[in-house]
């Protein structure tokens, strides 16, 4: 089994990068990608841990949030050189945008009467990427909500009273950065971007002009019917297919391994397009 989408505590996951590699090995995976939001800080530790595990291929990745005319879409970079300067500089700028946004979220929550502190929220983050899921966990710890979904619904989601926008790159910028760092670019969980396949076909064609390689057809949020449509779209357009769990290690139904029998054979053509600096043992 393979898994090309997972998060560590360097963004909003719970496990340290080396713990994630070990958990993947215990789950019987033969390949795993670390794709933290807006950072590649964990990839060095992660690839080193994968080097020490028999039969494991570790892949250095990242997950961008991009802004398109039809809302936010997530773009995975897989097998990239984490020391690439334009990539690191762009991620730094995105994290600054997060920090500004986070300060404003905190101020809004305080105005609404929720006396949360910066230190409290920070205590839920294991690295430089602090985000709304960390706010959510801090709110739950205070007893102000029962679940992350409830915090997004009542406070942090679009349309809620403490919602604040942050800077996000365009899909073109994100894909160009990934390709410049030698990675494979794949649209993550496409169903959370759009369910309009005609719109997606046009957009994906446009993104292929910047180097888009793949779409993530296997993901817990992609149902059986949507997956069939996405696989057909990938086939029609000549895109590769990626598969991942989006593991964060938070709740019980969060399990490692791409869902629904995603075949291991997806990996070989993807590996062929990745930077050797982004693959364990190949470095
Ligand atoms: P941020 O990048 O800090 O703006 O936070 C966005 C992240 O929060 C996403 O990548 C999701 O993992 C998570 N998220 C977004 N909406 C929801 C929701 N309604 N319920 C739970 N988690 C969510
Ligand atoms: Zn996440
Ligand atoms: Fe995502
Ligand atoms: Fe993710």
């Amino acid at each position: 089994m393979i898994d090309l989408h997972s998060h560590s505590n360097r963004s909003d996951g719970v496990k340290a990068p080396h713990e994630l590699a070990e958990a993947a090995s215990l789950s019987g995976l033969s390949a795993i990608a670390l794709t933290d939001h807006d950072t590649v800080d964990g990839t060095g530790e992660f690839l080193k841990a994968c080097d020490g595990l028999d039969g494991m291929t570790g892949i250095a990745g990242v997950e961008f949030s991009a802004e398109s005319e039809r809302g936010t879409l997530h773009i995975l970079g897989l097998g990239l050189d984490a020391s690439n300067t334009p990539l690191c500089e762009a991620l730094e700028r995105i994290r600054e945008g997060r920090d500004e946004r986070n300060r404003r979220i905190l101020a809004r929550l305080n105005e609404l009467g929720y006396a949360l502190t910066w230190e409290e929220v920070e205590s839920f983050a294991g690295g430089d990427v602090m985000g709304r899921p960390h706010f959510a966990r801090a709110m739950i710890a205070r007893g102000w909500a029962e679940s992350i979904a409830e915090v997004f619904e009542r406070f942090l989601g679009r349309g809620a009273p403490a919602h604040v926008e942050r800077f996000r790159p365009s899909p073109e910028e994100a894909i160009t950065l990934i390709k410049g760092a030698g990675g494979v670019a794949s649209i993550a969980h496409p169903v959370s971007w759009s369910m309009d396949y005609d719109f997606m076909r046009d957009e994906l064609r446009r993104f292929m002009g910047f180097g888009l390689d793949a779409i993530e057809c296997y993901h817990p949020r992609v149902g059986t019917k949507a997956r069939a449509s996405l696989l057909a779209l990938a086939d029609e357009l000549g895109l590769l297919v990626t598969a991942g769990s989006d593991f964060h290690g938070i709740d019980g139904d969060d399990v490692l391994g791409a869902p629904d029998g995603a075949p291991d054979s997806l990996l070989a053509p993807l590996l062929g397009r990745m930077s050797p600096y982004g693959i364990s043992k190949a470095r």
Side-chain angles (χ1 to χ4, degrees), residues 7 12 37 246 248:
H7 297 274
D12 58 355
H37 301 277
D246 212 346
H248 286 75

Side-chain angles (χ1 to χ4, degrees), residues 36-41 43 61-65 75 80-98 128-129 166-167 169 174 177-178 181:
D36 273 317
H37 301 277
D38 302 339
T39 185
V40 290
D41 284 355
T43 57
V62 69
E63 183 172 12
F64 279 96
S65 304
I75 304 177
L80 38 77
D81 176 0
S83 69
N84 179 266
T85 304
L87 175 72
C88 293
E89 286 177 359
L91 291 173
E92 184 73 44
R93 194 176 76 232
I94 291 168
R95 291 195 295 268
E96 282 166 17
R98 272 186 177 278
D128 287 343
V129 180
R166 67 179 172 89
F167 164 72
L177 286 163
I178 291 164

Side-chain angles (χ1 to χ4, degrees), residues 246-264:
D246 212 346
F247 182 82
H248 286 75
I250 295 172
D251 33 54
D253 54 354
D254 209 1
V255 288
L256 280 164
D260 303 319
D264 288 1

Side-chain angles (χ1 to χ4, degrees), residues 5 37 63 74 189 221 246:
H5 187 163
H37 301 277
E63 183 172 12
H74 290 185
H189 42 78
R221 262 186 269 163
D246 212 346

